[in-house]
Amino acid sequence: MQRFLLLLCVLMLAACANDAKQPIEDMAPAPPPREAKPVPKFDRDSAYAYVEQQVAFGPRVVNSEAHARTRKWLVDKLESFGAEVREQNFEAVAFDGTPLSATNIIARYSPELEDRILLSAHWDTRPFADSDLEDDPNAVVNGADDGGSGVGVLLEVARQLGMNKPDIGVDIVLFDAEDYGKSGGGGGNSWGLGSQYYAKNVQAPKPRFGILLDMVGARDANFAVESYSEKYAPTIVGKVWRLANSMGYGSYYVNERGGAVIDDHYYVNTIANIPTIDIINLPKDAEGQFVDHWHTGNDNMDVIDKRTLRAAGQVVLATVFREAAGTL
């Protein structure tokens, strides 16, 4: 996964100053308040089991058998949870010339409603263990945290939405071909191929705002405020972080500024113009750009913590139901 973790320095400030001439449409006005429905309880054990099942399939690298088996399982699961599911197939070419047959999985709840929220994660895994912290060139990236955790959380959110219907439409989008990009400088738009395709082909009605979950399963995760999230969707950042703190999850949703991450939300913001935030683990003490297990053979179930999954999922569920009631 390519993410240019930029320090908030003079260069970033200069870029923001240039962009200030172009007003950001943070998000459309929310509808008037409606009857509040209770926020469902997020089952952390269920989310953990969904992460575990993905890892059991093996690395979900595009074009692989494990990738195909995982796709079918995800579609079947989402349909069993009452969603209207569409497979958005697309062809792409990786940075190294590899042709990719990829699929974004789009699950819609209350498709008849105009007012909608986007929830997303990526379901593919990195084909190479190319982190500077990985000594074994043949290490396999199982993607328990990087990919699997966000999907596991959203599957449990989907299960709850199937049993508890909020008065708002929800689009759950699992992006493919996010993690098949070129490492190092010059990777550019070789990353996030699925979100780029989705952003150019958004089905109407377009969601009013979005939340991306990426690497949300590791113990003692540090969800600092990612810079592109704050730039393109400051209102959503404020709402979600205040809500998380009021719910007792302030140790995860910290009031700190992280770097700017080229992740799926970047393309949803810049191409589809859907204000979208990235809830992502940006630890202060990581030796590399992200958590130490990122793009290594250590990204397995050993790093997944149920409490972190709950911190991510319960806040997302509360955001959906509070926004539906107009009380967020």
Side-chain angles (χ1 to χ4, degrees):
M1 171 187 312
Q2 177 67 358
R3 306 180 180 97
F4 299 132
L5 192 59
L6 310 175
L7 296 176
L8 296 181
C9 59
V10 176
L11 292 178
M12 188 65 189
L13 293 174
C16 291
N18 291 334
D19 289 337
K21 299 177 181 178
Q22 303 174 5
I24 298 171
E25 187 66 31
D26 191 3
M27 73 174 191
R34 292 166 284 214
E35 178 185 0
K37 295 183 178 180
V39 178
K41 181 181 178 181
F42 182 89
D43 190 327
R44 65 184 191 178
D45 292 327
S46 177
Y48 184 90
Y50 297 143
V51 178
E52 194 171 42
Q53 179 58 68
Q54 292 173 80
V55 173
F57 283 122
R60 284 84 65 203
V61 177
V62 184
N63 298 339
S64 70
E65 180 181 351
H67 183 266
R69 292 174 61 204
T70 305
R71 180 183 66 183
K72 183 180 185 306
W73 178 75
L74 290 171
V75 170
D76 289 347
K77 272 293 179 190
L78 290 165
E79 288 180 340
S80 75
F81 297 151
E84 177 188 278
V85 182
R86 179 167 67 94
E87 296 179 62
Q88 188 181 53
N89 300 312
F90 65 97
E91 300 294 324
V93 178
F95 74 96
D96 59 359
T98 301
L100 305 175
S101 294
T103 303
N104 292 329
I105 301 171
I106 302 173
R108 307 184 82 213
Y109 287 89
S110 300
E112 74 282 359
L113 297 181
E114 293 286 325
D115 187 26
R116 312 195 64 76
I117 296 174
L118 168 68
L119 306 177
S120 62
H122 77 88
W123 68 277
D124 64 309
T125 55
R126 181 72 173 152
F128 332 103
D130 55 353
S131 166
D132 291 340
L133 300 180
E134 180 55 74
D135 297 326
D136 181 2
N138 298 314
V140 174
V141 181
N142 285 302
D145 191 22
D146 189 0
S149 63
V151 173
V153 167
L154 289 186
L155 285 176
E156 173 58 14
V157 168
R159 190 176 74 89
Q160 294 298 332
L161 292 177
M163 297 186 293
N164 307 274
K165 186 177 180 180
D167 295 320
I168 197 168
V170 179
D171 293 347
I172 294 179
V173 181
L174 306 181
F175 297 122
D176 201 358
E178 190 275 345
D179 231 348
Y180 212 128
K182 180 181 179 181
S183 292
N189 294 332
S190 64
W191 303 84
L193 301 180
S195 54
Q196 291 183 56
Y197 187 85
Y198 167 82
K200 295 172 184 175
N201 299 276
V202 178
Q203 180 180 353
K206 187 168 74 171
R208 181 156 50 87
F209 71 90
I211 298 174
L212 171 69
L213 299 174
D214 199 354
M215 296 195 294
V216 293
R219 186 173 294 105
D220 300 324
N222 191 76
F223 302 144
V225 177
E226 188 274 333
S227 294
Y228 286 128
S229 303
E230 190 171 39
K231 174 181 177 181
Y232 291 109
T235 300
I236 307 306
V237 168
K239 284 185 174 185
V240 172
W241 260 251
R242 284 192 299 270
L243 177 60
N245 276 265
S246 73
M247 294 172 64
Y249 293 115
S251 62
Y252 294 94
Y253 295 79
V254 294
N255 188 24
E256 301 169 356
R257 279 8 181 209
V261 179
I262 301 295
D263 206 347
D264 287 318
H265 73 305
Y266 177 80
Y267 300 107
V268 177
N269 276 302
T270 59
I271 299 175
N273 295 315
I274 300 172
T276 302
I277 67 171
D278 191 3
I279 299 177
I280 183 171
N281 190 0
L282 298 173
K284 287 182 175 180
D285 57 351
E287 293 183 28
Q289 292 180 322
F290 298 102
V291 288
D292 290 347
H293 56 265
W294 175 71
H295 290 184
T296 74
N298 294 325
D299 190 0
N300 51 45
M301 292 305 297
D302 291 341
V303 306
I304 301 299
D305 183 77
K306 294 180 181 180
R307 292 167 296 185
T308 305
L309 295 175
R310 181 180 59 189
Q314 193 64 69
V315 170
V316 168
L317 270 176
T319 299
V320 170
F321 278 78
R322 290 280 301 275
E323 189 66 28
T327 60
L328 185 60

